[in-house]
Amino acid sequence: MRITRYAATLAALGLALAGCSSNAGNQAQDTSAQSTSAVETNVSFAPGTTMAKLHDAGTITVGTKIDQPGFGLLNPRTKVPEGFDVEIAKIVAGKLGIAPESIKWTETVSANRESFIQNGQVDYVVATYTINDARKQLVDFAGPYYEAGQDIMVANGNPLKIESPDDLAGKNVCSVEGSTPAQNIRDHYPQAKLTLFDVYSKCADALDNGQVDAVTTDNVILTGLVAGSPDKRELVGKPFTQEPYGIGLKKGDTEFRNFINDVLEESFTDGSWAAAWDRTAGKITGQKAPEPPQVNRY
Ligand code: GLU
């Protein structure tokens, strides 16, 4: 199993693998998405702030996904994840004076993002992470920096004619534990038969081998999974929720949240956000960078 070899190498490199992601469907695209994010060389922060601590440490630990093409996908050659989330994390690190090479990447799966933030295992999480009130009880969010929507992926040709979540009644549907799409199915489409894994690449495998009839999560995640196997998979393409992506950080660290919000707004106007999109998710989706969302300083 290739992932085992990756895991060993990654462990050697200090990249912590929290879950064991399936590698299937994520053929190394090796886009070698080079970061062009600027690294500040002459910054200082008020003593005692998280920004000062991270800047002084010169290194940072970021939680991201590693099996989601376009947003966070491990490059098996460099052993470093690539994607829009990864680029957003680098933009924030750069404003702290931390170079991409000094970022320690940790896989966060959907279900452990809050606990990794709360326990201090990561300094922040950029991982297709929807901002919502339930999660805000446990962590804080900067952003949003992108807005996705829940969608459905089916086998190529859509043999069961699944066009909307109502069509999932009685069908075997795969999603991921701890995710908003899984919760939405439980709450509003209880007749769907839900299979839950820890990561979406396992759902894609389950669709390919006929174990499930459909996979549901955010449209951009599914688009990346379809791009890896267009002969096998198809996106329904009718999003039915709003999933504003935020950067998760420790609850109550308002200075750090304000700082990240400032960085995001700057990236929206200075072109770095759109450039990050174009060299990552834009390549997978074939879409130009959309209008950036409005940051919500709640
Ligand atoms: N954005 C949704 C969430 O945060 C689905 C994607 C994911 O599980 O990362 O739950």
Side-chain angles (χ1 to χ4, degrees):
M1 230 174 115
R2 282 161 77 204
I3 191 69
T4 310
R5 182 164 51 81
Y6 297 153
T9 318
L10 288 166
L13 286 166
L15 190 152
L17 285 170
C20 183
S21 302
S22 157
N23 193 48
N26 299 322
Q27 289 80 13
Q29 301 190 346
D30 204 2
T31 50
S32 297
Q34 289 301 317
S35 172
T36 54
S37 322
V39 180
E40 298 286 344
T41 49
N42 196 13
V43 280
S44 65
F45 299 99
T49 58
T50 299
M51 292 82 82
K53 277 181 229 154
L54 295 172
H55 174 258
D56 293 351
T59 174
I60 196 164
T61 306
V62 174
T64 194
K65 301 291 187 86
I66 63 165
D67 72 330
Q68 296 180 187
F71 273 75
L73 178 66
L74 193 68
N75 180 327
R77 185 178 57 84
T78 61
K79 322 292 184 234
V80 171
E82 293 174 353
F84 188 54
D85 282 340
V86 171
E87 293 304 303
I88 296 293
K90 288 180 194 167
I91 289 172
V92 175
K95 295 290 180 188
L96 291 162
I98 298 169
E101 310 80 66
S102 300
I103 301 174
K104 244 184 95 200
W105 301 100
T106 291
E107 182 188 17
T108 44
V109 297
S110 302
N112 67 19
R113 291 174 292 200
E114 289 84 24
S115 66
F116 271 41
I117 293 168
Q118 289 176 308
N119 300 340
Q121 281 161 275
V122 293
D123 294 302
Y124 52 86
V125 165
V126 195
T128 59
Y129 197 7
T130 296
I131 302 169
N132 66 26
D133 288 341
R135 290 172 177 168
K136 277 195 213 161
Q137 304 290 316
L138 306 170
V139 298
D140 268 330
F141 289 98
Y145 61 90
Y146 183 72
E147 191 161 289
Q150 186 174 352
D151 210 321
I152 300 167
M153 178 170 78
V154 293
N156 190 14
N158 197 357
L160 301 175
K161 304 267 166 285
I162 295 169
E163 302 291 348
S164 80
D166 293 316
D167 298 334
L168 297 175
K171 303 286 192 300
N172 292 312
V173 184
C174 192
S175 196
V176 159
E177 193 70 66
S179 71
T180 52
Q183 194 57 44
N184 187 32
I185 296 294
R186 279 197 204 97
D187 292 346
H188 299 114
Y189 306 95
Q191 291 176 45
K193 293 186 234 158
L194 205 51
T195 296
L196 295 177
F197 289 117
D198 58 346
V199 292
Y200 293 107
S201 49
K202 290 182 186 168
C203 283
D205 292 346
L207 180 71
D208 293 351
N209 66 31
Q211 189 189 337
V212 299
D213 304 314
V215 178
T216 187
T217 186
D218 301 339
N219 50 356
V220 282
I221 298 174
L222 297 175
T223 300
L225 293 170
V226 169
S229 289
D231 50 326
K232 291 190 186 144
R233 310 169 186 162
E234 183 173 314
L235 183 72
V236 169
K238 294 178 193 140
F240 49 92
T241 66
Q242 290 180 328
E243 307 291 331
Y245 287 176
I247 298 182
L249 65 140
K250 211 161 239 176
K251 189 168 169 64
D253 196 345
T254 306
E255 285 164 331
F256 194 34
R257 179 154 60 95
N258 287 340
F259 168 81
I260 299 179
N261 278 331
D262 291 344
V263 171
L264 288 176
E265 282 180 345
E266 206 181 320
S267 76
F268 295 168
T269 52
D270 71 8
S272 56
W273 181 87
W277 173 273
D278 288 344
R279 65 178 176 267
T280 57
K283 282 197 182 142
I284 301 270
T285 60
Q287 281 164 19
K288 288 243 111 234
E291 273 300 304
Q294 187 81 37
V295 160
N296 177 9
R297 294 176 188 260
Y298 62 87

